[in-house]
Amino acid sequence: MAWLVAVVLFVEAFGIAALNWFLGVVVDRQDMSLAGLDPDVMSVSSKIGGLVFGGYFALCGLVALLVALRDRAPAGLGRILLISAAVVHGLLGAFAWGLVGWTAFVFMIVVLGLIVLLLMTYDGQSAPGRPADAVPDGDGSPAGSSPAGGSPVTPPPAPTTP
């Protein structure tokens, strides 16, 4: 799953950057003003926006790739990046429905679903070597684990009544 999300985000990063670069070139060659804006500024800002947005999706793809390689849930900044990418795809899907059409909407929602599925699939996995149902003690180690490499701690036997 994480491999698929990584590939989709890398392809999308390249596509977004290439599309905005192409639009910047088109605006530059048209040499027309839009509501008094300088065409050179519009061209450069389109290219910069494409590179920034493409870099953002590439970074999210890198996080998904690391999840696939490590086989662990994303943590910290990586998790925040993937959640923000899911939100961005939801918003882009809503805008795409009205501006581009239903095919772009379906693509954005499928990518949104893949990202959410990645986040949910790896969410409940435990750390390697630790059972999923282990309850941590006060010191952070799972209950019943051995202190400092010694033998496992066993609770005292329950008292019996005659």
Side-chain angles (χ1 to χ4, degrees), residues 140-152:
S141 62
S145 67
S146 60
S151 63

Side-chain angles (χ1 to χ4, degrees), residues 35-123:
L37 295 174
D38 184 23
D40 292 331
V41 172
M42 291 190 321
S43 171
V44 170
S45 61
S46 175
K47 292 175 183 177
I48 291 172
L51 292 176
V52 168
F53 211 35
Y56 165 71
F57 281 137
L59 188 60
C60 292
L62 180 65
V63 170
L65 182 65
L66 289 174
V67 167
L69 290 174
R70 294 176 180 168
D71 199 27
R72 281 189 312 168
L77 182 63
R79 186 168 187 81
I80 292 170
L81 277 172
L82 287 177
I83 291 170
S84 69
V87 171
V88 165
H89 279 87
L91 292 172
L92 287 176
F95 290 132
W97 179 271
L99 297 175
V100 181
W102 66 271
T103 54
F105 169 77
V106 168
F107 174 76
M108 289 295 161
I109 298 306
V110 165
V111 176
L112 165 69
L114 286 173
I115 294 171
V116 169
L117 189 60
L118 170 74
L119 289 167
M120 297 298 291
T121 302
Y122 285 92
D123 192 37

